[in-house]
Amino acid sequence: MRTLAELKDQAKEIQLFLETESSTNPEELSFRILKLMTFIASSGEMLSEAKKLLRSRKSSEISKTIIAIAKEQCLSASVQNALLDSICDDEAFLVDFIERVNRTATHQLDACRSLLSYEKEQLKQVNYGN
């Protein structure tokens, strides 16, 4: 399993690709579709790994910090959860970030398919007119 830093770096690489503007050239759209399908698959796996890291960190922190504080100060469950969320901030951010990367890639894939269909239809109309 990858580390938090490795997952974050890979998510940033995918994000850079997602931020690049797409052309309407059918060959470039086809390439982008293939790339996006790969990113959707890999970001799905990354999301699972990031969630596992988050659960692991929460479990570890519960056993150490939260239980000790709760025994001494009788913190409410909501305060304990808020404390736990703040302790696991990096892991939670990574889960959110990778989830957004995955969703953005999915939306871009749909858009590229629509653009490719449009370009094919335009080509049919041009060829039909000749």
Side-chain angles (χ1 to χ4, degrees):
M1 191 165 89
R2 290 168 276 199
T3 66
L4 184 85
E6 290 169 337
L7 287 169
K8 195 177 222 179
D9 289 344
Q10 190 171 358
K12 285 179 180 179
E13 286 178 31
I14 295 171
Q15 181 68 28
L16 285 175
F17 178 84
L18 295 173
E19 290 175 0
T20 61
E21 198 170 308
S22 177
S23 81
T24 57
N25 178 311
E27 290 173 4
E28 289 179 29
L29 283 172
S30 295
F31 171 78
R32 189 168 185 89
I33 286 170
L34 292 173
K35 198 82 165 147
L36 287 167
M37 288 184 334
T38 303
F39 287 152
I40 290 168
S42 62
S43 64
E45 181 181 15
M46 291 166 58
L47 182 57
S48 296
E49 290 181 32
K51 284 182 177 183
K52 184 173 182 169
L53 285 172
L54 177 60
R55 285 189 303 271
S56 176
R57 177 76 189 272
K58 281 185 174 184
S59 174
S60 171
E61 291 302 326
I62 284 173
S63 64
K64 293 187 312 190
T65 310
I66 304 299
I67 293 174
I69 291 174
K71 283 181 181 176
E72 292 177 19
Q73 299 176 0
C74 299
L75 295 176
S76 69
S78 60
V79 172
Q80 291 176 45
N81 286 333
L83 180 58
L84 182 59
D85 287 343
S86 70
I87 291 169
C88 301
D89 187 52
D90 288 340
E91 290 83 358
F93 171 81
L94 182 62
V95 167
D96 291 341
F97 181 43
I98 293 173
E99 188 173 36
R100 293 306 318 150
V101 164
N102 182 271
R103 286 184 183 177
T104 301
T106 301
H107 294 311
Q108 282 193 17
L109 177 62
D110 292 341
C112 284
R113 286 180 180 149
S114 295
L115 285 171
L116 190 56
S117 293
Y118 174 80
E119 291 300 321
K120 284 181 181 177
E121 190 59 35
Q122 291 294 96
L123 188 58
K124 283 182 189 176
Q125 289 178 6
V126 168
N127 288 335
Y128 181 73
N130 290 333

